[in-house]
Amino acid sequence: MDETRESAGDRPFEVLVLGAGDSTRMGRSKLGLEIQGEPAFCRILRRAADAGARRGLVAHRGADGEEARRALEGCASVALEARLVAVPEDLRARGPIGSLSALIGEAEPGLPRLVWPVDHPHVSRETLGRLLEEGDGPRVPVFEGRGGHPVLLPPKLDGAVREAAAAGASLREVLRASPLEVQRVPVRDPGVLWNCDRPADLGVLPGAPDPGGAGLLALQRAHRSRRSFAPDPVPPSLLEDLVDAARHASTSSFVQAVSVVAVEDDERLRRVHDLCGKQRMILEAPVFLGICADLRHAEAALERAGDGLREPDLELFLVAALDAALFGQNLLLAAEASGLGGCFVGGARLHPRELAALLGLPPRVWVPFGLVLGRPLDDPLPRGRLPLPAVLHRETYSDAAVGAALPRMDEAVRSWARLANREGRLLLSRPLDESKGWGPRLRRSFGASRPPSRAHLPEALAALGFPFLAPASPPSRDPDGSPDGSPEDLPD
Ligand SMILES: Cc1cc2nc3c(=O)[nH]c(=O)nc-3n(C[C@H](O)[C@H](O)[C@H](O)COP(=O)(O)O)c2cc1C
């Protein structure tokens, strides 16, 4: 196992982003640097958050205040409290050390500071892990013998930084004169030397995504479920384009087990609403899409070939459900790329038989989830996600990484609720509970003492052509028991 990975996240630190400089070669302020459609400083904050940063401070030119504030608000997936600090002109004139001195004045006493120039955004997570290993002195990443960025500075050097800024000296000189031993940390990461001071530098590191796909990653990170819509219809040609794009998703064994029923008729929408947990968004949206797990295509093709479909088993059921999920996500992403917004509707599983009848589905077709789409009117605060180390494991799964991520996830969810309430950026229109972390929120639906949800599904699916799921004795619980949606622990 890579030991370095486990160290990131263990040692509290604060990230100080230096973005107050002018980028002469880029012809704009450094804070405006973008990578794959995302401001470089947001990417840095995300990386630092994933490595366990407590807080982030971002230095900017006072003149960039408004632009910087908007960009910070747009850092949708940053699970970190970050603040902008305007650097006074006299300090800014001193260069990066002046900005650093201004940030140190606002930093949390006692925490080591990861000093990160905004034009070095391509630093790997592994490098951060190495820098954050224990040690008293400043730590500098070294690639092929050359020292780079970011640098971890102990707070004991605050005074020296301030004096250097006043005297017009550099950070390098502070390190040279440091009473603490400077630790040069060898890393395998050319990103520590990569100064993105030209447009061509931004997306071309080995292994960086193709800049041509730049906007896509930003779009994916900016996702939020939208639940309130303007009444204007989705133009038919746009809907066709979206479905056309989405149907090119991968499909297990080329079985193409997916289809979609678009409902725009008011009366039918009202009935869909009644069957899917009476969620208001279904009435507001100009279109509801029943995303179907569809083995009918394959069955018809086999019949045409003089054969028939084998009795659906667990594998076939999964094939169809997976195809539907891949198609659905492709579709929502295409819609978001076109300026629309939407929300999946797991409430479709409350009354699968009645919904199938309403949509005229043949046997071997059912709706595991729907999707409402439209021009969004709401502005919910992005919910964020588990920190990357709990999701991306290398070579083998690290349960320690999951354990380390959970307290931060709980705190992130509480801060999300606080901020969403304060700014009125809610999921539905009701206030959120600010006291509950992620785990406590999951308890309501998935806690060990909870009964299985939607116990009617095996029987209903058997009736729809997926008989292997039927239980020996049919369940008796009324599916309406779960209305599919409390104000915040949303249904799915
Ligand atoms: C398959 C699926 C079904 C869902 N069903 C519902 C639903 O019925 N009602 C709802 O309000 N949200 C539903 N959601 C949205 C989730 O609640 C939402 O994705 C999650 O809370 C994360 O929020 P975000 O999408 O804004 O990042 C569903 C999501 C998925 C993936």
Side-chain angles (χ1 to χ4, degrees), residues 215-464:
L216 178 61
L217 303 192
L219 183 74
Q220 288 174 306
R221 279 192 294 266
H223 160 77
R224 298 167 286 161
S225 293
R226 312 299 284 267
R227 298 179 175 85
S228 177
F229 304 97
D232 17 320
V234 176
S237 62
L238 176 57
L239 185 60
E240 283 168 22
D241 282 347
L242 300 179
V243 173
D244 181 39
R247 74 197 167 94
H248 288 87
S250 293
T251 158
S252 314
S253 308
F254 199 39
V255 71
Q256 307 193 67
V258 71
S259 56
V260 52
V261 179
V263 178
E264 292 171 292
D265 173 73
D266 281 347
E267 177 52 23
R268 202 183 305 269
L269 275 175
R270 199 190 51 71
R271 290 168 66 199
V272 170
H273 161 266
D274 291 351
L275 291 174
C276 296
K278 298 201 162 83
Q279 303 187 59
R280 201 183 61 194
M281 63 182 179
I282 301 173
L283 291 181
E284 266 192 35
V287 62
F288 168 89
L289 302 170
I291 311 285
C292 302
D294 182 333
L295 290 176
R296 178 63 198 143
H297 298 144
E299 185 174 50
L302 284 162
E303 283 165 0
R304 193 172 128 79
D307 197 345
L309 184 72
R310 72 167 197 247
E311 190 79 337
D313 51 14
L314 177 62
E315 172 62 11
L316 261 183
F317 169 79
L318 282 175
V319 158
L322 291 170
D323 270 17
L326 296 175
F327 169 87
Q329 176 56 24
N330 241 11
L331 182 54
L332 178 56
L333 201 56
E336 289 174 342
S338 312
L340 298 176
C343 184
F344 289 118
V345 183
R349 297 190 299 275
L350 281 172
H351 296 281
R353 267 184 291 188
E354 292 81 351
L355 187 61
L358 179 66
L359 303 184
L361 304 185
R364 316 262 193 234
V365 184
W366 76 290
V367 180
F369 58 92
L371 174 62
V372 287
L373 285 183
R375 187 160 64 75
L377 292 181
D378 57 352
D379 181 24
L381 194 67
R383 299 196 93 173
R385 291 294 187 265
L386 280 166
L388 194 61
V391 179
L392 172 61
H393 305 273
R394 292 200 192 267
E395 310 306 334
T396 57
Y397 192 96
S398 165
D399 212 30
V402 175
L406 293 180
R408 287 170 53 209
M409 188 64 203
D410 276 342
E411 189 39 46
V413 167
R414 282 192 288 264
S415 327
W416 164 78
R418 275 196 301 274
L419 199 59
N421 283 339
R422 200 164 70 218
E423 298 190 353
R425 297 174 66 191
L426 305 171
L427 303 179
L428 300 165
S429 11
R430 283 157 285 189
L432 300 161
D433 183 342
E434 299 179 10
S435 66
K436 275 201 215 157
W438 186 55
R441 277 182 153 82
L442 290 177
R443 283 181 70 187
R444 198 184 63 88
S445 300
F446 301 109
S449 63
R450 304 296 302 161
S453 53
R454 299 183 183 161
H456 61 286
L457 271 180
E459 196 193 1
L461 284 173
L464 293 172

Side-chain angles (χ1 to χ4, degrees), residues 85-161:
V85 177
V87 181
E89 267 312 310
D90 57 325
L91 278 178
R92 215 173 73 76
R94 308 277 180 191
I97 192 89
S99 295
L100 180 56
S101 166
L103 291 180
I104 278 176
E106 306 280 328
E108 205 169 308
L111 276 190
R113 291 83 199 257
L114 190 66
V115 180
W116 200 329
V118 74
D119 50 12
H120 283 70
H122 288 299
V123 177
S124 76
R125 189 177 128 205
E126 185 180 324
T127 296
L128 297 184
R130 296 293 322 273
L131 288 173
L132 292 165
E133 285 166 10
E134 285 309 318
D136 288 339
R139 291 171 70 81
V140 180
V142 175
F143 179 71
E144 293 182 346
R146 291 173 59 202
H149 297 281
V151 171
L152 191 74
L153 278 190
K156 279 188 187 153
L157 293 186
D158 284 1
V161 168

